[in-house]
Amino acid sequence: MQTMTDRHDLATPTLLEASQMSQLEPNAPILRIIGKAPLSGHVPISGAKNSILALMAGTLLSSEGCRIRNVPYLADVQRMGDILETLGVKISRNGEVLDLDTSNLTTNSAPYELVSKMRASFFALGSLLARLGSARMPLPGGCAIGARPVELHVRGLQALGADVQIEHGIVIAHAKSRNGRLQGARIYLDCPSVGATETLMMAATLTEGETIIENAAQEPEVVDLANLCRAMGAKIRGAGTNTIFIDGVDKLHFADFTAIPDRIEAGTFMVAAAITRSTLSMSPVVPWHLTAAISKLQDIGVTVRQDSDNMITVIGGDRYRAVDIETLPYPGFPTDMQAQFMALLTVCEGNGVVTETVFENRLQHVAELNRMGANIRLKNNVAVVTGVPQLSGAPVMATDLRASAALVIAGLAADGETTVMGLHHLDRGYDRIEEKLRNVGAKLYRTTANVTVS
Ligand code: EPZ
């Protein structure tokens, strides 16, 4: 636990360069990290953000409501709740339990100002359309990591018998059949899109007939959503494989459902243990959700021990060797752990080649890591990371959710102080990450930047 003395170390003003201050809102929060503190202990893992957001969209399929457990405290969960409430859903939260009353949807139209802030809300298009027979959903637009198109969602809904038009940035969809129901179809996805698989699987649960989704995403979060829908009475087979079969039913019912733990949060803490050469245990986890990350850590020279069916321990080592990483759809190496692993590669001996194949602009953390003394050369979607003996603390700006996590990880290992700006990215996807890190010995805390321009 952090002592007062430690806190005093952090009391000196933060020297930020003028160029960085100009990018900050007045009194914007920053995270101050004094690096090289050894970590030890146990980290609790929260529910999976990328499951919860889809599960919340799935609750629209039934008029009987839903209870979701293991819900983390995240900005994105709050935003998804706001969007559902504008649709007429009544939500109450008690700790990590969310109760959603979906009995009285008051509109089929989600507001642009909310959807544009949290693209996963677009996944509600499928469930809203299946429940009401029509839906209006703003196009989510791109984000820092890519254009994030949704044509696979749109084409799939058209295959299910929906008329889908895009007018003035709004997707307007309605079931063409007289009874307002969608019709089962065979759908092939050009790429195994997680969101498109989830949107179409939800829509298909209430169609007439059978739907087959080929080249479907196999991520654990897709399986979790399928399990929620099945708990509500849907007939789904094959989730977790590349072909999902859905037999439409007339109605779905209430379900009390517990979300899976967050494999990306767990992976982030695994890398934090490795880069600080510490020993950290974490639970709950589903070890086989982490196979790719565990394999890469072991190749690097990190020890990973499975203590039970829901707990693992990561034991950092003295010398690490560089490895190559290529991001791929599950069960390949997850793009959501690419930035975090790149931070680790910066202090591995040799050259590691990181290829980002899923998103077109998910390497913005390279420039910030290089500010901390890393040696990374970037060409298009390939980064060559040449290991250095030590990173050095610096003021850095987060550009997206997983880049912010990578910068925190780098700061934990760097010599001296690192200040991470752009914390709104971090807060989207990590539940109390500072508290969890401080509880295992990290020296960091959130403050606002003193306007001491060097
Ligand atoms: C989900 O996003 C996750 N978000 C992302 O996590 C994750 O990185 C991504 O899946 C890949 O695993 C949520 O689940 C809320 P995709 P999603 O559709 O569904 C292209 C994080 O950090 N594509 O699988 O939007 C797309 O451009 C976030 O937690 C199309 O071309 O991802 C991308 O290149 C970031 N057309 C690729 O597919 C479409 O219609 C994979 O995207 C849809 C997608």
Side-chain angles (χ1 to χ4, degrees):
M1 184 65 80
Q2 194 165 322
T3 63
M4 278 313 292
T5 313
D6 292 341
R7 195 169 177 85
H8 177 69
D9 294 343
L10 293 170
T12 51
T14 296
L15 297 180
L16 295 177
E17 294 170 12
S19 62
Q20 292 183 309
M21 289 307 297
S22 63
Q23 296 176 53
L24 279 183
E25 296 291 322
N27 294 324
I30 62 171
L31 198 56
R32 300 184 60 194
I33 306 169
I34 298 296
K36 304 187 81 167
L39 309 183
S40 68
H42 175 268
V43 180
I45 302 300
S46 302
K49 167 181 86 78
N50 289 347
S51 177
I52 295 290
L53 297 176
L55 299 177
M56 291 172 76
T59 64
L60 293 171
L61 289 166
S62 159
S63 60
E64 297 183 13
C66 220
R67 167 167 288 181
I68 304 178
R69 300 174 188 270
N70 201 24
V71 179
Y73 287 90
L74 299 174
D76 272 8
V77 172
Q78 181 60 48
R79 286 195 187 112
M80 188 60 151
D82 294 345
I83 289 163
L84 294 183
E85 286 177 335
T86 63
L87 298 172
V89 179
K90 294 183 181 58
I91 300 178
S92 62
R93 175 161 199 158
N94 177 11
E96 294 176 347
V97 179
L98 218 50
D99 283 310
L100 299 100
D101 172 359
T102 57
S103 58
N104 180 31
L105 299 186
T106 53
T107 175
N108 72 347
S109 181
Y112 171 74
E113 66 277 3
L114 293 178
V115 171
S116 61
K117 290 197 184 96
M118 214 277 296
R119 55 171 287 100
S121 44
F122 188 77
F123 303 173
L125 175 62
S127 47
L128 205 53
L129 178 59
R131 166 83 182 273
L132 297 178
S134 68
R136 297 167 65 93
M137 183 67 68
L139 281 171
C143 70
I145 64 175
R148 312 296 292 273
V150 291
E151 87 286 348
L152 297 178
H153 302 241
V154 171
R155 289 215 304 260
L157 292 174
Q158 290 168 333
L160 290 172
D163 174 64
V164 186
Q165 303 299 325
I166 297 178
E167 292 170 13
H168 309 298
I170 307 281
V171 177
I172 302 166
H174 70 269
K176 286 189 285 193
S177 66
R178 276 197 304 279
N179 63 5
R181 285 185 74 181
L182 298 172
Q183 306 300 310
R186 189 181 192 100
I187 300 167
Y188 175 81
L189 295 178
D190 290 350
C191 78
S193 155
V194 172
T197 300
E198 293 172 340
T199 293
L200 300 173
M201 184 169 69
M202 286 188 274
T205 58
L206 293 172
T207 64
E208 286 181 325
E210 180 185 49
T211 296
I212 302 173
I213 303 174
E214 295 182 292
N215 198 26
Q218 305 177 51
E219 273 71 1
E221 293 76 26
V222 172
V223 178
D224 215 28
L225 176 62
N227 289 336
L228 166 69
C229 293
R230 286 147 55 109
M232 294 165 76
K235 291 180 181 162
I236 301 174
R237 289 176 295 117
T241 75
N242 62 6
T243 308
I244 302 177
F245 301 84
I246 305 111
D247 289 318
V249 295
D250 294 339
K251 193 174 172 358
L252 294 179
H253 54 70
F254 172 85
D256 182 335
F257 188 79
T258 300
I260 55 174
D262 196 318
R263 62 192 170 101
I264 308 300
E265 183 192 21
T268 302
F269 283 113
M270 290 165 72
V271 175
I275 202 170
T276 55
R277 306 180 192 274
S278 304
T279 296
L280 285 181
S281 65
M282 54 203 75
S283 67
V285 297
V286 178
W288 57 272
H289 285 171
L290 291 159
T291 304
I294 291 171
S295 170
K296 281 299 172 187
L297 284 174
Q298 290 171 334
D299 291 348
I300 286 170
V302 181
T303 303
V304 182
R305 188 183 68 219
Q306 183 169 339
D307 303 308
S308 71
D309 62 357
N310 75 348
M311 182 155 88
I312 57 173
T313 294
V314 176
I315 304 166
D318 297 327
R319 298 188 62 178
Y320 295 145
R321 53 189 170 275
V323 296
D324 294 343
I325 287 175
E326 180 179 12
T327 63
L328 289 167
Y330 193 91
F333 188 91
T335 175
D336 293 350
M337 288 202 219
Q338 177 258 107
Q340 301 92 311
F341 269 75
M342 188 181 290
L344 177 56
L345 285 176
T346 65
V347 293
C348 292
E349 293 173 28
N351 293 310
V353 178
V354 178
T355 307
E356 172 56 55
T357 71
V358 177
F359 288 108
E360 64 268 29
N361 189 33
R362 202 174 199 175
L363 290 164
Q364 298 177 80
H365 40 281
V366 166
E368 297 305 293
L369 289 171
N370 281 340
R371 286 174 48 75
M372 297 178 71
N375 179 0
I376 309 171
R377 284 158 293 146
L378 187 56
K379 189 168 176 59
N380 299 325
N381 67 331
V382 178
V384 178
V385 186
T386 302
V388 295
Q390 175 71 64
L391 292 176
S392 59
V396 287
M397 177 66 76
T399 51
D400 57 81
L401 167 55
R402 305 304 174 181
S404 61
L407 295 174
V408 170
I409 287 169
L412 293 174
D415 183 29
E417 176 178 336
T418 297
T419 47
V420 180
M421 295 163 278
L423 294 190
H424 58 285
H425 293 296
L426 191 67
D427 295 339
R428 289 188 46 216
Y430 288 93
D431 182 354
R432 290 163 285 180
I433 189 170
E434 297 128 63
E435 180 184 328
K436 292 181 180 179
L437 284 169
R438 270 200 297 272
N439 286 344
V440 291
K443 288 186 180 176
L444 79 170
Y445 78 100
R446 188 173 291 228
T447 180
T448 52
N450 297 306
V451 190
T452 311
V453 178
S454 55

